[in-house]
Amino acid sequence: QKELHTVLTRHNVVQIEAAPGSAFDPNVHQAVAQIPSPHPAGTIAELFQPGWRIGERTLRAAMVAVSLGQAN
């Protein structure tokens, strides 16, 4: 796996950042669910599958759950 990441990086293929609490960007993230979480509403709550891009072009969007905010 480490060697694969090295080869991909050499060809400018990088993993899309999708950390919980970061801003949701529909150009690089695919929302598959909305869930309550301690993170602000509209941000990423959970990462299901990492995404990849080459340069500025998205190869596969990161599958994420979007936060609805705090549960009451």
Side-chain angles (χ1 to χ4, degrees), residues 37-61:
S37 76
H39 304 290
T43 61
I44 295 172
E46 187 176 343
L47 173 66
F48 295 124
Q49 184 178 34
W52 296 92
R53 69 177 173 204
I54 185 167
E56 294 299 316
R57 184 175 181 191
T58 301
L59 298 175
R60 181 179 75 187

Side-chain angles (χ1 to χ4, degrees), residues 55-71:
E56 294 299 316
R57 184 175 181 191
T58 301
L59 298 175
R60 181 179 75 187
M63 290 176 44
V64 299
V66 177
S67 176
L68 290 173
Q70 294 280 344

Side-chain angles (χ1 to χ4, degrees), residues 1-2 6-7 11 13 18-20 22-24 30-31 34 44-46 51 59 61 65-66 68-72:
Q1 183 178 9
K2 189 175 181 181
T6 303
V7 171
H11 294 284
V13 177
S22 62
F24 174 77
Q30 178 182 2
Q34 287 185 316
I44 295 172
E46 187 176 343
L59 298 175
V66 177
L68 290 173
Q70 294 280 344
N72 293 331

